[in-house]
């Protein structure tokens, strides 16, 4: 595959390096012979345009990956609509504008599979964008991410900027948010199953009916795909980043229970929302770019659970010290 953008010797700013995707990008970029730039919140508050402009001017990145975002699971999205819309609009607009002003050579913007219509044909191709109504539980986040795609396209159309966009599916892995109120489904299920096993509970409770289907991708596969796109993709259209297969929430719950060693019942809290019934993305465009995922769901979940247990042990010993 032709390299369109050579990362060797380049200064690459990973915006959002403390998040799950940003941390995975830092790990993945270690092998690219580039210089990795990070900005802490005290260096630049990404919600403030002046801060971002000043930081970008001073640090002169050649390439930028916009992995910074306000993210959360289905209830967090519905509970904090103003934060999900405003914060994400500001973060992406500030970074994209500052990158353009500083003549950044390449920018990769990250969106989400929730940009697509609630009832899009499956698997969802990139062309489904803006062909129908969004899923209400995450429309605020989706609108911000659609604006980010369009902003990259607008800078490309008007100024020829090499700004591209990737839409990852539901991600999981080390450094995820394990808070039961605000997390995505996998860390929540892992924590619930782990607690149920530890307390010898006879059941664990999941939100909704368990019938929605979700496509999951390990964050290390995602980071690998993103670096691949940075090097090999340069076009107007956004591109899906997924694993190509999906499971029901009940199926992933059973798999997590098996990994964790919890053997009790699975109960359903039907007062909680299901969200979109299915969002399996087509990964044909990414496959045509020469990229395939490597980490199976079971292998990825086992690694994530090991990370979670290690983190718990570290925090407990930290508390004892
Ligand atoms: O991962 P999740 O919160 O978000 O929920 P979405 C996925 C599915 O898992 C939903 C169910 O059907 C939930 O009802 N679920 C079952 C649970 N038990 C739990 C639990 O304990 N916690 C959580 N969180 N879910 C998000 C969007 O949608 O997808 C974001 O809200 C983003 O904006 C992200 O796009 C990728 O997959 O429904």
């Amino acid at each position: 595959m032709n390299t369109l953008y050579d990362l060797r010797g380049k200064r690459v700013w990973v915006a959002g390096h403390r998040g799950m995707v940003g941390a995975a990008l830092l790990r993945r970029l270690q092998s690219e012979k580039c210089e990795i730039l990070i900005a802490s919140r005290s260096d630049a508050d990404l919600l403030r345009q002046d801060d971002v402009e000043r930081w970008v001017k001073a640090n002169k990145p050649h390439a930028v990956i916009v992995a910074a975002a306000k993210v959360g699971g289905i209830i967090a999205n519905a509970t904090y609509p103003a934060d999900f819309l405003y914060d994400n609009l500001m973060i992406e607009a500030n970074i994209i504008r500052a990158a353009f002003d500083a003549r950044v050579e390449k920018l990769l913007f990250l969106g989400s599979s929730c940009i697509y219509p609630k009832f899009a044909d499956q698997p969802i191709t990139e062309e489904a964008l803006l062909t129908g109504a969004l899923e209400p539980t995450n429309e605020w986040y989706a609108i911000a991410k659609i604006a980010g795609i369009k902003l990259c396209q607008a800078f490309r159309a008007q100024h020829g900027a090499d700004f591209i966009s990737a839409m990852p599916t539901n991600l999981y892995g080390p450094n995820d948010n394990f808070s039961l109120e605000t997390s995505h489904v996998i860390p929540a299920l892992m924590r619930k199953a782990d607690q149920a096993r530890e307390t010898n509970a006879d059941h664990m409770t999941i939100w909704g009916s368990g019938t929605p289907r979700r496509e999951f991708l390990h964050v290390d596969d995602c980071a690998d795909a993103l670096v691949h796109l940075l090097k090999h993709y340069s076009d107007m259209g956004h591109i899906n980043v997924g694993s190509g297969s999906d499971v029901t929430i009940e199926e992933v719950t059973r798999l997590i229970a098996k990994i964790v060693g919890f053997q009790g019942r699975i109960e359903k809290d039907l007062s909680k929302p299901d969200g979109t019934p299915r969002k399996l993305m087509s990964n044909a465009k990414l496959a045509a770019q020469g990229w395939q995922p490597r980490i199976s769901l079971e292998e990825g979940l086992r690694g994530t659970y090991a990370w979670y247990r290690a983190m718990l042990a570290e925090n407990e010993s930290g508390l004892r010290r």
Side-chain angles (χ1 to χ4, degrees), residues 4 7 10 38 45 54 56 73 75 79 97 102 120 138 142 145 151 169 172 180 207 214 229 245 285 287:
L4 299 177
L7 285 172
K10 297 290 166 87
I38 55 173
D45 179 348
R54 197 177 20 79
V56 170
I75 295 282
T79 314
R97 177 78 222 188
N138 57 32
K145 290 298 183 183
L151 201 53
T169 188
Y172 70 96
L180 289 181
W207 293 352
R214 291 292 183 273
L229 291 175
S245 62
K285 190 169 170 183

Side-chain angles (χ1 to χ4, degrees), residues 153-166:
Q153 291 177 345
F155 274 101
R156 179 178 280 272
Q158 189 177 333
H159 300 290
D162 192 0
F163 292 179
I164 59 172
S165 300

Side-chain angles (χ1 to χ4, degrees), residues 72-74 77 112-114 137-138 141 169-170 180 183-185 188-189 192 205-208 212 214 249 273-276 279:
I74 191 163
N77 270 262
S112 159
S113 58
C114 70
T137 52
N138 57 32
Y141 182 71
T169 188
N170 285 39
L180 289 181
S183 75
H184 288 103
V185 61
L189 294 177
K192 286 180 188 176
T205 305
I206 65 171
W207 293 352
R214 291 292 183 273
I249 295 303
D274 270 344
T276 198
K279 47 176 172 180

Side-chain angles (χ1 to χ4, degrees), residues 86-105:
Y86 178 83
D87 289 12
N88 285 309
L89 284 172
M90 294 306 284
I91 291 168
E92 69 202 24
N94 289 341
I95 297 175
I96 291 169
R97 177 78 222 188
F100 173 70
D101 287 345
R103 300 288 178 265
V104 159
E105 296 166 353

